[in-house]
Amino acid sequence: IYSRDFVSQDQNVIHPLEPLSVDEIQAASAAVRLLMNVAAEDDPNFEKLRFVAVSLKEPSKSKLAPFLNGQKSESFDASALPSRQAEVVTLSPVTGLASEFVVDLSSSTVIDSKT
C-alpha cells in the first residue's frame, strides 16, 4: 500500500504511512512528559520516566482508503489525509510499570493512555 512515489503539489503534505519525523517524535515525547508532569532533564521527576518506543500509529484501513483513492486521481484532496498519531511506550524505573499513550500530532495532545 505504501509508496514513496507519493507526490503532492503541497510540500507540507506527508504520506499517512511515512515514519515519524524528528519533530513529530519530539512533539509526542513532550506531550507525554507534560501529561506525566516531567518537564525537562533538570526536573527531579525526569528519572521516573523512560521512553521505550515512539512510533507512528498507523491509521485504520477505513481512514486510509479515501486518501489512497484520492491519491490515484488527478485532483488530490489533502483533506482526505487521516490525522497523524504517535504511539508512545514508557517505562517507570521506580514502579516497573509500562504505559502506552496515543498522541494526536496535529494538537500535540495525549488522546488515549493505558498502564
Side-chain angles (χ1 to χ4, degrees):
I1 288 180
Y2 174 61
S3 168
R4 287 212 176 255
D5 297 333
F6 168 68
V7 177
S8 170
Q9 303 295 55
D10 183 351
Q11 297 302 314
N12 295 322
V13 174
I14 300 171
H15 192 288
L17 299 179
E18 184 73 25
L20 295 179
S21 68
V22 171
D23 290 340
E24 289 173 317
I25 291 170
Q26 290 173 340
S29 301
V32 171
R33 279 196 306 274
L34 181 65
L35 180 73
M36 302 297 289
N37 294 319
V38 177
E41 289 183 24
D42 59 352
D43 186 325
N45 291 323
F46 186 76
E47 293 297 321
K48 296 179 183 174
L49 184 66
R50 297 274 190 252
F51 286 86
V52 176
V54 180
S55 59
L56 177 69
K57 180 177 185 338
E58 293 185 5
S60 66
K61 287 183 182 181
S62 62
K63 290 182 180 177
L64 194 57
F67 166 77
L68 294 174
N69 292 336
Q71 183 183 356
K72 294 175 186 171
S73 71
E74 293 286 327
S75 58
F76 170 73
D77 179 11
S79 68
L81 286 166
S83 69
R84 287 177 58 84
Q85 297 178 346
E87 291 179 314
V88 180
V89 179
T90 64
L91 178 65
S92 169
V94 175
T95 64
L97 291 175
S99 299
E100 297 177 22
F101 303 89
V102 176
V103 178
D104 181 292
L105 294 170
S106 62
S107 63
S108 294
T109 57
V110 175
I111 58 174
D112 192 22
S113 64
K114 60 183 171 183
T115 300

